[in-house]
Amino acid sequence: GGGHTIRPRACIYYHKCLQDKLWFMDALTSEDCTTIQTKIDNTQVLLVSCYMDWAKRDCPPQSFKNVVEYAKKNGMALVVGTDANAHSTYWNKTTLDRVGTDRGQSLLAYIANENLMIENNGDVRHSIMDVGRKLLILR
């Protein structure tokens, strides 16, 4: 009684036929960042689902930075789907507010510094509840 229950805000669903081809990365997974490893065309790949909490100051969060660092250190490809809660015209997010814009500038600077690429169609809403756009980052 009285304990705080952790509610994950990021997950990756996959078909059971892929179960033997995916490895859950415990050390790179938190309530807001889920990471699995797989191999595609002889390339080791990290697949990541990351929720970036708008109420937290750091954007991107340390959990995301840890995944990027791990991928770089181990020469792995990286595919990330995220609800970044960060606004930038760079990824066609035109509804700007101060917090979202500040977060967007911070995230964009990180993406540029780490030589990540953005693949995003700002004209398509990806959220089931239609509350925002997702950002897909490919390395």
Side-chain angles (χ1 to χ4, degrees), residues 54-89:
W54 68 270
K56 293 185 179 174
R57 194 165 190 78
D58 58 336
C59 186
Q62 189 60 48
S63 58
F64 179 77
K65 291 177 181 179
N66 292 345
V67 171
V68 172
E69 181 180 324
Y70 184 90
K72 288 178 86 171
K73 180 179 173 185
N74 292 285
M76 303 173 82
L78 177 64
V79 179
V80 179
T82 182
D83 180 352
N85 286 304
H87 305 167
S88 173
T89 55

PDB file of all heavy atoms in Angstrom, residues 54-89:
ATOM      1  N   TRP A  54       6.863  16.878 -21.685  1.00  0.00           N
ATOM      2  CA  TRP A  54       6.897  18.339 -21.851  1.00  0.00           C
ATOM      3  C   TRP A  54       7.147  19.047 -20.530  1.00  0.00           C
ATOM      4  O   TRP A  54       7.651  20.168 -20.508  1.00  0.00           O
ATOM      5  CB  TRP A  54       5.604  18.851 -22.489  1.00  0.00           C
ATOM      6  CG  TRP A  54       4.416  18.692 -21.588  1.00  0.00           C
ATOM      7  CD1 TRP A  54       3.579  17.620 -21.513  1.00  0.00           C
ATOM      8  CD2 TRP A  54       3.952  19.621 -20.612  1.00  0.00           C
ATOM      9  NE1 TRP A  54       2.634  17.812 -20.543  1.00  0.00           N
ATOM     10  CE2 TRP A  54       2.834  19.044 -19.974  1.00  0.00           C
ATOM     11  CE3 TRP A  54       4.373  20.879 -20.204  1.00  0.00           C
ATOM     12  CZ2 TRP A  54       2.133  19.688 -18.963  1.00  0.00           C
ATOM     13  CZ3 TRP A  54       3.669  21.517 -19.187  1.00  0.00           C
ATOM     14  CH2 TRP A  54       2.564  20.918 -18.584  1.00  0.00           C
ATOM     15  N   ALA A  55       6.825  18.408 -19.414  1.00  0.00           N
ATOM     16  CA  ALA A  55       6.973  19.043 -18.105  1.00  0.00           C
ATOM     17  C   ALA A  55       8.411  18.949 -17.578  1.00  0.00           C
ATOM     18  O   ALA A  55       8.755  19.624 -16.612  1.00  0.00           O
ATOM     19  CB  ALA A  55       6.010  18.409 -17.102  1.00  0.00           C
ATOM     20  N   LYS A  56       9.219  18.120 -18.202  1.00  0.00           N
ATOM     21  CA  LYS A  56      10.616  18.000 -17.769  1.00  0.00           C
ATOM     22  C   LYS A  56      11.474  18.924 -18.606  1.00  0.00           C
ATOM     23  O   LYS A  56      11.296  19.068 -19.798  1.00  0.00           O
ATOM     24  CB  LYS A  56      11.088  16.553 -17.894  1.00  0.00           C
ATOM     25  CG  LYS A  56      10.380  15.641 -16.921  1.00  0.00           C
ATOM     26  CD  LYS A  56      10.930  14.255 -16.965  1.00  0.00           C
ATOM     27  CE  LYS A  56      10.203  13.376 -15.960  1.00  0.00           C
ATOM     28  NZ  LYS A  56      10.606  11.972 -16.062  1.00  0.00           N
ATOM     29  N   ARG A  57      12.418  19.560 -17.968  1.00  0.00           N
ATOM     30  CA  ARG A  57      13.229  20.607 -18.585  1.00  0.00           C
ATOM     31  C   ARG A  57      14.157  20.080 -19.681  1.00  0.00           C
ATOM     32  O   ARG A  57      14.358  20.731 -20.696  1.00  0.00           O
ATOM     33  CB  ARG A  57      14.033  21.297 -17.492  1.00  0.00           C
ATOM     34  CG  ARG A  57      14.660  22.590 -17.899  1.00  0.00           C
ATOM     35  CD  ARG A  57      15.107  23.335 -16.636  1.00  0.00           C
ATOM     36  NE  ARG A  57      15.520  24.671 -16.888  1.00  0.00           N
ATOM     37  CZ  ARG A  57      14.704  25.695 -17.080  1.00  0.00           C
ATOM     38  NH1 ARG A  57      13.410  25.490 -17.099  1.00  0.00           N
ATOM     39  NH2 ARG A  57      15.173  26.899 -17.288  1.00  0.00           N
ATOM     40  N   ASP A  58      14.753  18.911 -19.458  1.00  0.00           N
ATOM     41  CA  ASP A  58      15.750  18.415 -20.403  1.00  0.00           C
ATOM     42  C   ASP A  58      15.110  17.825 -21.667  1.00  0.00           C
ATOM     43  O   ASP A  58      14.239  16.987 -21.596  1.00  0.00           O
ATOM     44  CB  ASP A  58      16.669  17.385 -19.743  1.00  0.00           C
ATOM     45  CG  ASP A  58      15.926  16.202 -19.171  1.00  0.00           C
ATOM     46  OD1 ASP A  58      14.736  16.333 -18.859  1.00  0.00           O
ATOM     47  OD2 ASP A  58      16.541  15.131 -19.046  1.00  0.00           O
ATOM     48  N   CYS A  59      15.550  18.337 -22.805  1.00  0.00           N
ATOM     49  CA  CYS A  59      15.056  17.852 -24.089  1.00  0.00           C
ATOM     50  C   CYS A  59      16.225  17.842 -25.063  1.00  0.00           C
ATOM     51  O   CYS A  59      16.745  18.917 -25.392  1.00  0.00           O
ATOM     52  CB  CYS A  59      13.921  18.724 -24.614  1.00  0.00           C
ATOM     53  SG  CYS A  59      13.169  18.073 -26.116  1.00  0.00           S
ATOM     54  N   PRO A  60      16.684  16.690 -25.478  1.00  0.00           N
ATOM     55  CA  PRO A  60      16.113  15.384 -25.185  1.00  0.00           C
ATOM     56  C   PRO A  60      16.515  14.900 -23.785  1.00  0.00           C
ATOM     57  O   PRO A  60      17.510  15.368 -23.233  1.00  0.00           O
ATOM     58  CB  PRO A  60      16.724  14.475 -26.254  1.00  0.00           C
ATOM     59  CG  PRO A  60      18.043  15.101 -26.559  1.00  0.00           C
ATOM     60  CD  PRO A  60      17.818  16.588 -26.417  1.00  0.00           C
ATOM     61  N   PRO A  61      15.749  13.958 -23.254  1.00  0.00           N
ATOM     62  CA  PRO A  61      16.069  13.445 -21.919  1.00  0.00           C
ATOM     63  C   PRO A  61      17.324  12.575 -21.929  1.00  0.00           C
ATOM     64  O   PRO A  61      17.755  12.082 -22.984  1.00  0.00           O
ATOM     65  CB  PRO A  61      14.834  12.613 -21.558  1.00  0.00           C
ATOM     66  CG  PRO A  61      14.239  12.230 -22.869  1.00  0.00           C
ATOM     67  CD  PRO A  61      14.548  13.351 -23.813  1.00  0.00           C
ATOM     68  N   GLN A  62      17.890  12.380 -20.778  1.00  0.00           N
ATOM     69  CA  GLN A  62      19.121  11.592 -20.655  1.00  0.00           C
ATOM     70  C   GLN A  62      18.915  10.168 -21.168  1.00  0.00           C
ATOM     71  O   GLN A  62      19.823   9.589 -21.764  1.00  0.00           O
ATOM     72  CB  GLN A  62      19.621  11.578 -19.202  1.00  0.00           C
ATOM     73  CG  GLN A  62      20.996  10.963 -19.052  1.00  0.00           C
ATOM     74  CD  GLN A  62      22.062  11.697 -19.851  1.00  0.00           C
ATOM     75  OE1 GLN A  62      22.167  12.922 -19.796  1.00  0.00           O
ATOM     76  NE2 GLN A  62      22.859  10.961 -20.614  1.00  0.00           N
ATOM     77  N   SER A  63      17.738   9.602 -20.968  1.00  0.00           N
ATOM     78  CA  SER A  63      17.489   8.234 -21.436  1.00  0.00           C
ATOM     79  C   SER A  63      17.670   8.132 -22.951  1.00  0.00           C
ATOM     80  O   SER A  63      18.213   7.150 -23.462  1.00  0.00           O
ATOM     81  CB  SER A  63      16.090   7.761 -21.027  1.00  0.00           C
ATOM     82  OG  SER A  63      15.094   8.631 -21.545  1.00  0.00           O
ATOM     83  N   PHE A  64      17.245   9.158 -23.683  1.00  0.00           N
ATOM     84  CA  PHE A  64      17.417   9.196 -25.132  1.00  0.00           C
ATOM     85  C   PHE A  64      18.891   9.372 -25.494  1.00  0.00           C
ATOM     86  O   PHE A  64      19.417   8.699 -26.382  1.00  0.00           O
ATOM     87  CB  PHE A  64      16.579  10.322 -25.728  1.00  0.00           C
ATOM     88  CG  PHE A  64      16.715  10.440 -27.223  1.00  0.00           C
ATOM     89  CD1 PHE A  64      16.066   9.550 -28.056  1.00  0.00           C
ATOM     90  CD2 PHE A  64      17.490  11.434 -27.787  1.00  0.00           C
ATOM     91  CE1 PHE A  64      16.195   9.641 -29.432  1.00  0.00           C
ATOM     92  CE2 PHE A  64      17.620  11.544 -29.157  1.00  0.00           C
ATOM     93  CZ  PHE A  64      16.965  10.640 -29.982  1.00  0.00           C
ATOM     94  N   LYS A  65      19.573  10.262 -24.794  1.00  0.00           N
ATOM     95  CA  LYS A  65      20.999  10.488 -25.043  1.00  0.00           C
ATOM     96  C   LYS A  65      21.801   9.206 -24.810  1.00  0.00           C
ATOM     97  O   LYS A  65      22.747   8.920 -25.542  1.00  0.00           O
ATOM     98  CB  LYS A  65      21.525  11.608 -24.147  1.00  0.00           C
ATOM     99  CG  LYS A  65      20.978  12.978 -24.506  1.00  0.00           C
ATOM    100  CD  LYS A  65      21.493  14.027 -23.537  1.00  0.00           C
ATOM    101  CE  LYS A  65      20.944  15.398 -23.842  1.00  0.00           C
ATOM    102  NZ  LYS A  65      21.416  16.406 -22.882  1.00  0.00           N
ATOM    103  N   ASN A  66      21.404   8.433 -23.797  1.00  0.00           N
ATOM    104  CA  ASN A  66      22.092   7.173 -23.506  1.00  0.00           C
ATOM    105  C   ASN A  66      21.971   6.200 -24.682  1.00  0.00           C
ATOM    106  O   ASN A  66      22.933   5.501 -25.022  1.00  0.00           O
ATOM    107  CB  ASN A  66      21.531   6.524 -22.240  1.00  0.00           C
ATOM    108  CG  ASN A  66      21.858   7.306 -20.993  1.00  0.00           C
ATOM    109  OD1 ASN A  66      22.723   8.190 -20.983  1.00  0.00           O
ATOM    110  ND2 ASN A  66      21.147   7.004 -19.923  1.00  0.00           N
ATOM    111  N   VAL A  67      20.790   6.146 -25.305  1.00  0.00           N
ATOM    112  CA  VAL A  67      20.572   5.261 -26.452  1.00  0.00           C
ATOM    113  C   VAL A  67      21.441   5.698 -27.628  1.00  0.00           C
ATOM    114  O   VAL A  67      22.094   4.884 -28.277  1.00  0.00           O
ATOM    115  CB  VAL A  67      19.081   5.232 -26.850  1.00  0.00           C
ATOM    116  CG1 VAL A  67      18.880   4.491 -28.159  1.00  0.00           C
ATOM    117  CG2 VAL A  67      18.243   4.601 -25.750  1.00  0.00           C
ATOM    118  N   VAL A  68      21.453   7.001 -27.906  1.00  0.00           N
ATOM    119  CA  VAL A  68      22.260   7.519 -29.020  1.00  0.00           C
ATOM    120  C   VAL A  68      23.742   7.221 -28.779  1.00  0.00           C
ATOM    121  O   VAL A  68      24.451   6.754 -29.676  1.00  0.00           O
ATOM    122  CB  VAL A  68      22.027   9.039 -29.214  1.00  0.00           C
ATOM    123  CG1 VAL A  68      22.995   9.618 -30.236  1.00  0.00           C
ATOM    124  CG2 VAL A  68      20.578   9.298 -29.634  1.00  0.00           C
ATOM    125  N   GLU A  69      24.210   7.447 -27.563  1.00  0.00           N
ATOM    126  CA  GLU A  69      25.609   7.184 -27.222  1.00  0.00           C
ATOM    127  C   GLU A  69      25.947   5.705 -27.397  1.00  0.00           C
ATOM    128  O   GLU A  69      26.994   5.347 -27.941  1.00  0.00           O
ATOM    129  CB  GLU A  69      25.880   7.616 -25.779  1.00  0.00           C
ATOM    130  CG  GLU A  69      27.304   7.408 -25.330  1.00  0.00           C
ATOM    131  CD  GLU A  69      27.524   7.843 -23.887  1.00  0.00           C
ATOM    132  OE1 GLU A  69      26.907   8.836 -23.457  1.00  0.00           O
ATOM    133  OE2 GLU A  69      28.312   7.169 -23.193  1.00  0.00           O
ATOM    134  N   TYR A  70      25.062   4.828 -26.936  1.00  0.00           N
ATOM    135  CA  TYR A  70      25.273   3.380 -27.056  1.00  0.00           C
ATOM    136  C   TYR A  70      25.356   2.969 -28.525  1.00  0.00           C
ATOM    137  O   TYR A  70      26.236   2.192 -28.913  1.00  0.00           O
ATOM    138  CB  TYR A  70      24.141   2.631 -26.346  1.00  0.00           C
ATOM    139  CG  TYR A  70      24.316   1.134 -26.339  1.00  0.00           C
ATOM    140  CD1 TYR A  70      24.999   0.503 -25.302  1.00  0.00           C
ATOM    141  CD2 TYR A  70      23.795   0.342 -27.362  1.00  0.00           C
ATOM    142  CE1 TYR A  70      25.166  -0.875 -25.288  1.00  0.00           C
ATOM    143  CE2 TYR A  70      23.957  -1.028 -27.361  1.00  0.00           C
ATOM    144  CZ  TYR A  70      24.639  -1.632 -26.328  1.00  0.00           C
ATOM    145  OH  TYR A  70      24.813  -2.995 -26.320  1.00  0.00           O
ATOM    146  N   ALA A  71      24.443   3.494 -29.349  1.00  0.00           N
ATOM    147  CA  ALA A  71      24.433   3.165 -30.780  1.00  0.00           C
ATOM    148  C   ALA A  71      25.736   3.610 -31.442  1.00  0.00           C
ATOM    149  O   ALA A  71      26.344   2.856 -32.215  1.00  0.00           O
ATOM    150  CB  ALA A  71      23.234   3.806 -31.466  1.00  0.00           C
ATOM    151  N   LYS A  72      26.175   4.817 -31.135  1.00  0.00           N
ATOM    152  CA  LYS A  72      27.413   5.336 -31.735  1.00  0.00           C
ATOM    153  C   LYS A  72      28.624   4.516 -31.278  1.00  0.00           C
ATOM    154  O   LYS A  72      29.467   4.142 -32.081  1.00  0.00           O
ATOM    155  CB  LYS A  72      27.598   6.805 -31.370  1.00  0.00           C
ATOM    156  CG  LYS A  72      26.624   7.727 -32.091  1.00  0.00           C
ATOM    157  CD  LYS A  72      26.791   9.152 -31.678  1.00  0.00           C
ATOM    158  CE  LYS A  72      27.871   9.780 -32.528  1.00  0.00           C
ATOM    159  NZ  LYS A  72      27.962  11.233 -32.353  1.00  0.00           N
ATOM    160  N   LYS A  73      28.693   4.246 -29.997  1.00  0.00           N
ATOM    161  CA  LYS A  73      29.819   3.511 -29.417  1.00  0.00           C
ATOM    162  C   LYS A  73      29.934   2.106 -30.010  1.00  0.00           C
ATOM    163  O   LYS A  73      31.030   1.589 -30.198  1.00  0.00           O
ATOM    164  CB  LYS A  73      29.644   3.429 -27.896  1.00  0.00           C
ATOM    165  CG  LYS A  73      30.728   2.689 -27.167  1.00  0.00           C
ATOM    166  CD  LYS A  73      30.465   2.683 -25.677  1.00  0.00           C
ATOM    167  CE  LYS A  73      31.443   1.810 -24.933  1.00  0.00           C
ATOM    168  NZ  LYS A  73      31.115   1.710 -23.515  1.00  0.00           N
ATOM    169  N   ASN A  74      28.789   1.503 -30.337  1.00  0.00           N
ATOM    170  CA  ASN A  74      28.771   0.128 -30.821  1.00  0.00           C
ATOM    171  C   ASN A  74      28.549   0.019 -32.331  1.00  0.00           C
ATOM    172  O   ASN A  74      28.319  -1.079 -32.846  1.00  0.00           O
ATOM    173  CB  ASN A  74      27.712  -0.671 -30.064  1.00  0.00           C
ATOM    174  CG  ASN A  74      28.101  -0.856 -28.609  1.00  0.00           C
ATOM    175  OD1 ASN A  74      28.966  -1.656 -28.298  1.00  0.00           O
ATOM    176  ND2 ASN A  74      27.489  -0.079 -27.727  1.00  0.00           N
ATOM    177  N   GLY A  75      28.608   1.145 -33.041  1.00  0.00           N
ATOM    178  CA  GLY A  75      28.475   1.141 -34.490  1.00  0.00           C
ATOM    179  C   GLY A  75      27.141   0.610 -34.983  1.00  0.00           C
ATOM    180  O   GLY A  75      27.084  -0.090 -35.995  1.00  0.00           O
ATOM    181  N   MET A  76      26.079   0.935 -34.270  1.00  0.00           N
ATOM    182  CA  MET A  76      24.750   0.419 -34.601  1.00  0.00           C
ATOM    183  C   MET A  76      23.903   1.484 -35.278  1.00  0.00           C
ATOM    184  O   MET A  76      24.051   2.668 -35.016  1.00  0.00           O
ATOM    185  CB  MET A  76      24.047  -0.047 -33.313  1.00  0.00           C
ATOM    186  CG  MET A  76      24.819  -1.096 -32.554  1.00  0.00           C
ATOM    187  SD  MET A  76      24.081  -1.457 -30.965  1.00  0.00           S
ATOM    188  CE  MET A  76      22.817  -2.601 -31.494  1.00  0.00           C
ATOM    189  N   ALA A  77      22.998   1.038 -36.139  1.00  0.00           N
ATOM    190  CA  ALA A  77      22.004   1.938 -36.720  1.00  0.00           C
ATOM    191  C   ALA A  77      20.955   2.215 -35.646  1.00  0.00           C
ATOM    192  O   ALA A  77      20.784   1.438 -34.704  1.00  0.00           O
ATOM    193  CB  ALA A  77      21.366   1.299 -37.941  1.00  0.00           C
ATOM    194  N   LEU A  78      20.244   3.327 -35.807  1.00  0.00           N
ATOM    195  CA  LEU A  78      19.280   3.759 -34.802  1.00  0.00           C
ATOM    196  C   LEU A  78      18.025   4.270 -35.490  1.00  0.00           C
ATOM    197  O   LEU A  78      18.098   5.119 -36.365  1.00  0.00           O
ATOM    198  CB  LEU A  78      19.909   4.871 -33.957  1.00  0.00           C
ATOM    199  CG  LEU A  78      19.082   5.534 -32.873  1.00  0.00           C
ATOM    200  CD1 LEU A  78      18.720   4.530 -31.784  1.00  0.00           C
ATOM    201  CD2 LEU A  78      19.856   6.702 -32.279  1.00  0.00           C
ATOM    202  N   VAL A  79      16.877   3.738 -35.087  1.00  0.00           N
ATOM    203  CA  VAL A  79      15.583   4.211 -35.579  1.00  0.00           C
ATOM    204  C   VAL A  79      14.752   4.555 -34.356  1.00  0.00           C
ATOM    205  O   VAL A  79      14.558   3.710 -33.470  1.00  0.00           O
ATOM    206  CB  VAL A  79      14.855   3.146 -36.432  1.00  0.00           C
ATOM    207  CG1 VAL A  79      13.502   3.673 -36.901  1.00  0.00           C
ATOM    208  CG2 VAL A  79      15.707   2.725 -37.618  1.00  0.00           C
ATOM    209  N   VAL A  80      14.274   5.807 -34.301  1.00  0.00           N
ATOM    210  CA  VAL A  80      13.539   6.278 -33.125  1.00  0.00           C
ATOM    211  C   VAL A  80      12.187   6.845 -33.544  1.00  0.00           C
ATOM    212  O   VAL A  80      12.117   7.674 -34.446  1.00  0.00           O
ATOM    213  CB  VAL A  80      14.330   7.386 -32.386  1.00  0.00           C
ATOM    214  CG1 VAL A  80      13.552   7.888 -31.180  1.00  0.00           C
ATOM    215  CG2 VAL A  80      15.699   6.890 -31.979  1.00  0.00           C
ATOM    216  N   GLY A  81      11.148   6.421 -32.872  1.00  0.00           N
ATOM    217  CA  GLY A  81       9.842   7.049 -32.987  1.00  0.00           C
ATOM    218  C   GLY A  81       9.582   7.739 -31.663  1.00  0.00           C
ATOM    219  O   GLY A  81       9.775   7.140 -30.598  1.00  0.00           O
ATOM    220  N   THR A  82       9.188   9.017 -31.714  1.00  0.00           N
ATOM    221  CA  THR A  82       9.036   9.742 -30.459  1.00  0.00           C
ATOM    222  C   THR A  82       7.893  10.740 -30.488  1.00  0.00           C
ATOM    223  O   THR A  82       7.559  11.301 -31.521  1.00  0.00           O
ATOM    224  CB  THR A  82      10.343  10.481 -30.090  1.00  0.00           C
ATOM    225  OG1 THR A  82      10.181  11.130 -28.834  1.00  0.00           O
ATOM    226  CG2 THR A  82      10.740  11.505 -31.131  1.00  0.00           C
ATOM    227  N   ASP A  83       7.293  10.915 -29.340  1.00  0.00           N
ATOM    228  CA  ASP A  83       6.430  12.063 -29.095  1.00  0.00           C
ATOM    229  C   ASP A  83       7.327  13.025 -28.346  1.00  0.00           C
ATOM    230  O   ASP A  83       7.532  12.906 -27.149  1.00  0.00           O
ATOM    231  CB  ASP A  83       5.220  11.656 -28.257  1.00  0.00           C
ATOM    232  CG  ASP A  83       4.287  12.823 -27.975  1.00  0.00           C
ATOM    233  OD1 ASP A  83       4.656  13.971 -28.290  1.00  0.00           O
ATOM    234  OD2 ASP A  83       3.197  12.590 -27.431  1.00  0.00           O
ATOM    235  N   ALA A  84       7.933  13.954 -29.087  1.00  0.00           N
ATOM    236  CA  ALA A  84       8.981  14.799 -28.525  1.00  0.00           C
ATOM    237  C   ALA A  84       8.448  15.990 -27.749  1.00  0.00           C
ATOM    238  O   ALA A  84       9.184  16.606 -26.989  1.00  0.00           O
ATOM    239  CB  ALA A  84       9.907  15.291 -29.637  1.00  0.00           C
ATOM    240  N   ASN A  85       7.186  16.346 -27.935  1.00  0.00           N
ATOM    241  CA  ASN A  85       6.649  17.541 -27.284  1.00  0.00           C
ATOM    242  C   ASN A  85       7.580  18.727 -27.493  1.00  0.00           C
ATOM    243  O   ASN A  85       7.850  19.499 -26.582  1.00  0.00           O
ATOM    244  CB  ASN A  85       6.414  17.295 -25.793  1.00  0.00           C
ATOM    245  CG  ASN A  85       5.211  16.419 -25.555  1.00  0.00           C
ATOM    246  OD1 ASN A  85       4.116  16.725 -25.997  1.00  0.00           O
ATOM    247  ND2 ASN A  85       5.423  15.288 -24.892  1.00  0.00           N
ATOM    248  N   ALA A  86       8.091  18.834 -28.705  1.00  0.00           N
ATOM    249  CA  ALA A  86       9.032  19.891 -29.063  1.00  0.00           C
ATOM    250  C   ALA A  86       8.633  20.427 -30.427  1.00  0.00           C
ATOM    251  O   ALA A  86       8.423  19.652 -31.354  1.00  0.00           O
ATOM    252  CB  ALA A  86      10.452  19.331 -29.096  1.00  0.00           C
ATOM    253  N   HIS A  87       8.532  21.723 -30.543  1.00  0.00           N
ATOM    254  CA  HIS A  87       8.046  22.335 -31.771  1.00  0.00           C
ATOM    255  C   HIS A  87       9.178  22.959 -32.569  1.00  0.00           C
ATOM    256  O   HIS A  87      10.045  23.621 -32.012  1.00  0.00           O
ATOM    257  CB  HIS A  87       7.011  23.409 -31.454  1.00  0.00           C
ATOM    258  CG  HIS A  87       5.883  22.904 -30.624  1.00  0.00           C
ATOM    259  ND1 HIS A  87       4.996  23.737 -30.012  1.00  0.00           N
ATOM    260  CD2 HIS A  87       5.486  21.649 -30.299  1.00  0.00           C
ATOM    261  CE1 HIS A  87       4.103  23.031 -29.350  1.00  0.00           C
ATOM    262  NE2 HIS A  87       4.387  21.761 -29.508  1.00  0.00           N
ATOM    263  N   SER A  88       9.129  22.730 -33.878  1.00  0.00           N
ATOM    264  CA  SER A  88      10.091  23.360 -34.776  1.00  0.00           C
ATOM    265  C   SER A  88       9.527  23.337 -36.185  1.00  0.00           C
ATOM    266  O   SER A  88       8.947  22.329 -36.604  1.00  0.00           O
ATOM    267  CB  SER A  88      11.429  22.616 -34.754  1.00  0.00           C
ATOM    268  OG  SER A  88      12.298  23.146 -35.740  1.00  0.00           O
ATOM    269  N   THR A  89       9.698  24.418 -36.907  1.00  0.00           N
ATOM    270  CA  THR A  89       9.276  24.432 -38.305  1.00  0.00           C
ATOM    271  C   THR A  89      10.150  23.481 -39.111  1.00  0.00           C
ATOM    272  O   THR A  89       9.766  23.069 -40.197  1.00  0.00           O
ATOM    273  CB  THR A  89       9.358  25.858 -38.893  1.00  0.00           C
ATOM    274  OG1 THR A  89      10.675  26.368 -38.698  1.00  0.00           O
ATOM    275  CG2 THR A  89       8.346  26.774 -38.220  1.00  0.00           C
TER     276      THR A  89
END
